[in-house]
Amino acid sequence: MAIQTDPGLVPYQILDAGGNLVGKMPGISAERMLSLYRSMQVGRVFSNKIIALQRQGRATTFGSLVGQEATAVGLAAPMQPQDWLATSYREIASLIVKGVPIPTLAYSFRGFTPENWPAETHCLPVQIVIGTQMLHAVGLAMAAKIAGDPAVAVGVCGDGATSEGDFNEALNFAGVFQAPVVLVVQNNGWAISVPRSKQSAASTFAARGEGFGVPARLVDGNDILAVYDTMSKAIENARAGNGPTLVETLTYRIGAHTTADDPTRYRDAAEVEAWRARDPIARFQKFLIARDLLAEQRVQQLIEEVEEEINEAVRIAESMPPMAPDSFFDYVAATLSPRQQAQRADLLRYINQVIQ
Amino acid sequence: MQMTMIEALNSALALELERDRRVVVFGEDIGANGGVFRVTEHLQNKFGEERVFDTPLAESGIIGTSIGMAIYGLRPIVEIQFAGFLFVCMNQLVSQAARIRFRSAGAYTCPLVVRAPYGGGVRTPELHSDSLEAVFLQTPGFKIVVPSNPYDAKGLLASAVEDPDPVLFLENIKLYRSFRAETPTEHYSIPLGKANVVQEGTDVSIFAYGAMVNVALEAAKQAQQETGTSVEVIDLRTVWPLDEDAIAASVEKTGRAIIVHEAPRAGGIGAEITAVINERCFYSLLKPIGRVTGYDTPYPVPGQEDYYLPTPAKVMTALREIMEL
Ligand SMILES: Cc1ncc(C[n+]2csc(CCOP(=O)(O)OP(=O)(O)O)c2C)c(N)n1
Ligand SMILES: [Mg+2]
């Protein structure tokens, strides 16, 4: 699918699809760039690993991250520890960058709720109900403003999510309250089987910012430097008290929607191939190699290191004990009602007497 | 023909589209993809994009526009991809679809069918397994239908489409492909509001719907074999309004009742059935009514859901208690 743009709203690029510098380099160290590159590899390897585990019956449903690593990493990397992140299921790599341990995430894909979620990373658990997290991000940002804290919130959703009321209400609240929030739309071309063109008759989602009085940026979402630069500026702008920004990143979901999806039913292989040629990792890799920041021989070795890291994380996750069968009672509310306590006792009797 | 529930529903939708020009089918991913469970497979090809189409990702948008279409005279059959996302369109469902007739004193009506997959045991992400039927009990104006097998699914869907008022049609995900049953290829209908006695018995009545009918039948079989208890199993088919006559007739015969549903217990169908029994046949009761249900917690994650759901063993425990065995 062609990238749709408004006249005058051209996607911001620093690296073109061939990895050539076509924009102004952001102020970023070589070390930082290598760390972004590595995080993108971590995202891809993690995604492929969980999908492989799912096929073996060792993981639950999982949505592929492949092709969207530049957006996921680039949006989280400029965030500070006190900043809040509210994402969908598609931004696991963002959570990793923000500090959520990989074994914790891997454990969640075993079908359990991690009982040691690192609250200090200020990452909300992934949101399944499409679009709702965008309002939470705005609320977190409004709270930071009310408290007078130098914290910013980032909310991320997909192109499909822009059709939900919550998304539009989030933009409106962000604008009206000048919340220190950055709302990111990862436009990956598809919402399961529904193409981008059927979500909105407007040519960009970024254009919606204007209707809500929120400045908007349209970015090449497969260009890590462009995403990083845009997000750094939007986040610091919010922190400085200058209000929200809407960011649309143009990217593509190379894989199936989830392990339960068969994309051959609704999209052309040719379209996927065209987007493979704009692979975000390959693009950045070319750039790093051309600049002598990364040695070509190092690439394979680095991927193997990342694979070992992910395998080790999965080993840790698989060696963690399963949740206690009745622990779902623990988190309903601060205290259980007598009736819930009785139900829990019933369940424990069933487990001890009947199924063991 | 032997059909899965998916095939039976697909056949019902195709027949309705064929029979009635007013029928339109829409929702998320129901066109080229044929629905995430393939219930609408091939319908877009057969009937065209004018009548079978994908919408933007907006549940409130889907229900809100379907209300407009229904008022205009169409017969929309819309899909909410998972029942858990009915929460996103509660305003349109509860304060709008269910009240059009009421608000206009009958000048306008809302003959709308909202299909939604629900139910646990299939290792889904959050809010993909929740049973929401009880949430709608306090929404006068809606009927709630929950089929337990392919034959019923097809016949009940036909009646839902013909019904002059909005119908919430909940399809159990686990039943979608778990078995085939003999199902006519031609059109037929099964009346709404009528329960079905799937197994007659004399000692105790079990009321169930959706996937819990088979759970009840399994427990009934075990009870018969192990304790000689004769269990009557009643499939409610329509959970709202309840077939109160069928409930009372059965309890008057057996004197004992157990209700099984996977939705949470509080304020559920089980509570309503208990009240009906209390009102209609209290003096026939030999023992307190039993409920085997989901717990009063959110639906748990895949790694714990097997503990949450009613099982034949849980129903057996209730049967032993009520039969004093
Ligand atoms: C409110 C709601 N409706 C429907 C779904 C089912 N669903 C899950 S993902 C998805 C598509 C999301 O598309 P998009 O927002 O573009 O995000 P992407 O998956 O492409 O990252 C749908 C319809 C859901 N999870 N929540
Ligand atoms: Mg998308």
Side-chain angles (χ1 to χ4, degrees):
Chain A
M1 199 199 333
I3 291 179
Q4 297 169 316
T5 60
D6 273 348
L9 203 50
V10 174
Y12 178 52
Q13 248 188 1
I14 294 178
L15 300 179
D16 69 11
N20 306 300
L21 189 67
V22 293
K24 187 170 166 289
M25 269 304 285
I28 179 171
S29 69
E31 198 187 348
R32 185 85 166 127
M33 284 196 282
L34 283 175
S35 123
L36 296 181
Y37 172 76
R38 190 174 193 285
S39 292
M40 289 164 72
Q41 293 283 15
V42 165
R44 179 164 300 186
V45 172
F46 180 83
S47 176
N48 290 337
K49 179 74 184 180
I50 302 296
I51 290 168
L53 291 175
Q54 195 278 339
R55 300 225 162 94
Q56 298 166 27
R58 288 158 68 192
T60 54
T61 310
F62 183 79
S64 170
L65 314 176
V66 174
Q68 300 182 230
E69 297 89 347
T71 292
V73 171
L75 74 89
M79 296 177 74
Q80 292 185 6
Q82 77 274 21
D83 295 342
W84 286 81
L85 181 59
T87 74
S88 82
Y89 45 84
R90 195 72 73 196
E91 291 84 23
I92 302 295
S94 312
L95 301 183
I96 295 173
V97 169
K98 192 78 171 62
V100 179
I102 301 171
T104 303
L105 293 162
Y107 185 74
S108 73
F109 291 107
R110 272 182 70 192
F112 298 119
T113 306
E115 288 172 291
N116 53 352
W117 186 258
E120 70 286 357
T121 61
H122 296 151
C123 291
L124 300 192
V126 301
Q127 182 58 248
I128 295 296
V129 187
I130 298 297
T132 50
Q133 72 276 15
M134 304 307 266
L135 277 166
H136 306 160
V138 175
L140 288 161
M142 288 167 69
K145 187 173 172 182
I146 291 166
D149 294 334
V152 170
V154 174
V156 197
C157 68
D159 44 301
T162 65
S163 296
E164 293 280 12
D166 279 8
F167 172 82
N168 297 282
E169 292 175 26
L171 264 176
N172 196 33
F173 273 58
V176 166
F177 292 102
Q178 287 298 290
V181 68
V182 184
L183 298 173
V184 182
V185 176
Q186 274 222 74
N187 176 357
N188 65 1
W190 293 89
I192 310 187
S193 72
V194 180
R196 151 65 184 94
S197 56
K198 288 195 184 158
Q199 291 299 341
S200 168
S203 54
T204 70
F205 298 114
R208 208 167 299 175
E210 191 177 346
F212 290 104
V214 173
R217 304 278 176 269
L218 183 66
V219 184
D220 181 335
N222 283 10
D223 174 355
I224 178 77
L225 292 181
V227 177
Y228 179 85
D229 188 38
T230 302
M231 288 301 295
S232 302
K233 287 174 181 153
I235 289 169
E236 290 321 312
N237 190 57
R239 202 183 312 283
N242 299 322
T245 306
L246 169 65
V247 176
E248 175 181 357
T249 67
L250 298 166
T251 180
Y252 193 79
R253 192 194 81 213
I254 295 290
H257 169 69
T258 66
T259 42
D261 176 48
D262 171 14
T264 62
R265 296 176 68 91
Y266 54 79
R267 71 179 186 187
D268 281 346
E271 181 185 290
V272 183
E273 286 319 304
W275 275 93
R276 262 188 219 284
R278 309 155 82 159
D279 185 278
I281 297 186
R283 178 189 306 200
F284 196 36
Q285 187 175 300
K286 270 188 207 146
F287 171 80
L288 293 172
I289 290 172
R291 294 235 153 177
D292 282 335
L293 297 170
L294 177 69
E296 197 148 11
Q297 318 79 275
R298 171 83 181 108
V299 170
Q300 194 46 40
Q301 190 188 3
L302 186 140
I303 291 173
E304 281 163 23
E305 284 166 20
V306 168
E307 282 169 351
E308 191 32 53
E309 182 187 344
I310 300 298
N311 288 341
E312 178 57 20
V314 168
R315 270 193 291 276
I316 294 169
E318 291 192 330
S319 67
M320 282 157 70
M323 294 176 86
D326 62 325
S327 75
F328 56 90
F329 279 98
D330 283 333
Y331 308 108
V332 183
T335 51
L336 288 182
S337 66
R339 176 192 173 103
Q340 287 166 322
Q341 286 171 20
Q343 290 182 2
R344 185 179 199 159
D346 249 9
L347 171 60
L348 286 171
R349 237 187 332 274
Y350 165 73
I351 290 167
N352 294 330
Q353 295 171 8
V354 184
I355 62 174
Q356 273 174 10
Chain B
M1 197 174 134
Q2 291 286 312
M3 292 190 201
T4 62
M5 191 184 280
I6 289 185
E7 290 159 353
L9 290 165
N10 182 263
S11 163
L13 290 169
L15 286 169
E16 293 306 324
L17 280 156
E18 219 167 81
R19 279 159 44 90
D20 189 345
R21 285 290 314 164
R22 299 170 303 170
V23 169
V24 288
V25 172
F26 58 97
E28 295 159 9
D29 303 287
I30 64 105
N33 200 36
V36 294
F37 292 105
R38 313 290 180 245
V39 172
T40 55
E41 174 129 55
H42 305 313
L43 294 181
Q44 189 174 61
N45 271 351
K46 269 194 227 157
F47 299 97
E49 284 189 43
E50 287 269 288
R51 297 181 66 204
V52 180
F53 54 91
D54 287 332
T55 65
L57 207 177
E59 289 73 16
S60 188
I62 291 169
I63 302 300
T65 55
S66 71
I67 291 170
M69 293 183 205
I71 291 172
Y72 194 91
L74 295 185
R75 293 279 172 152
I77 308 175
V78 301
E79 177 175 302
I80 296 298
Q81 200 163 82
F82 289 89
F85 308 133
L86 289 167
F87 287 124
V88 182
C89 45
M90 284 305 273
N91 175 50
Q92 290 293 349
L93 288 168
V94 176
S95 61
Q96 304 307 316
R99 300 178 72 107
I100 297 299
R101 181 187 290 278
F102 188 75
R103 180 175 306 137
S104 66
Y108 299 116
T109 61
C110 190
L112 162 69
V113 179
V114 181
R115 298 181 34 249
Y118 85 98
V122 283
R123 308 285 180 262
T124 63
E126 193 179 2
L127 281 156
H128 287 60
S129 294
D130 299 51
S131 299
L132 265 66
E133 58 277 11
V135 171
F136 293 88
L137 296 191
Q138 297 215 333
T139 305
F142 254 108
K143 296 186 180 69
I144 309 168
V145 178
V146 191
S148 68
N149 61 72
Y151 176 84
D152 284 8
K154 181 170 172 179
L156 289 166
L157 186 53
S159 295
V161 175
E162 280 152 26
D163 198 88
D165 289 305
V167 177
L168 185 59
F169 197 90
L170 298 172
E171 302 163 3
N172 189 278
I173 298 169
K174 204 172 179 184
L175 294 180
Y176 264 155
R177 297 174 207 278
S178 59
F179 64 97
R180 285 174 194 277
E182 191 54 37
T183 307
T185 51
E186 66 272 20
H187 175 269
Y188 63 93
S189 59
I190 296 174
L192 304 188
K194 290 270 170 261
N196 182 30
V197 181
V198 282
Q199 173 179 313
E200 289 196 31
T202 52
D203 296 331
V204 50
S205 310
I206 302 187
F207 300 98
Y209 52 94
M212 294 301 110
V213 172
N214 285 335
V215 170
L217 283 170
E218 230 175 285
K221 195 166 122 197
Q222 203 179 327
Q224 179 71 53
Q225 283 165 355
E226 291 175 14
T227 67
T229 305
S230 165
V231 182
E232 178 145 298
V233 177
I234 297 198
D235 179 351
L236 295 168
R237 282 180 168 167
T238 299
V239 302
W240 203 251
L242 286 168
D243 185 348
E244 299 193 8
D245 290 345
I247 293 167
S250 182
V251 176
E252 276 161 12
K253 177 170 70 170
T254 62
R256 297 179 184 86
I258 293 172
I259 302 123
V260 186
H261 58 65
E262 50 188 300
R265 182 166 304 178
I269 303 290
E272 270 302 325
I273 293 177
T274 303
V276 167
I277 294 170
N278 197 44
E279 288 157 5
R280 304 249 328 221
C281 45
F282 178 77
Y283 294 105
S284 305
L285 276 182
L286 302 170
K287 292 283 288 177
I289 297 162
R291 282 187 287 173
V292 182
T293 65
Y295 302 106
D296 291 328
T297 73
Y299 193 85
V301 288
Q304 294 179 312
E305 67 176 330
D306 290 345
Y307 300 107
Y308 179 89
L309 288 168
T311 58
K314 287 182 183 177
V315 179
M316 269 306 284
T317 303
L319 277 169
R320 281 181 210 284
E321 200 175 306
I322 208 165
M323 297 306 300
E324 294 181 85
L325 293 164

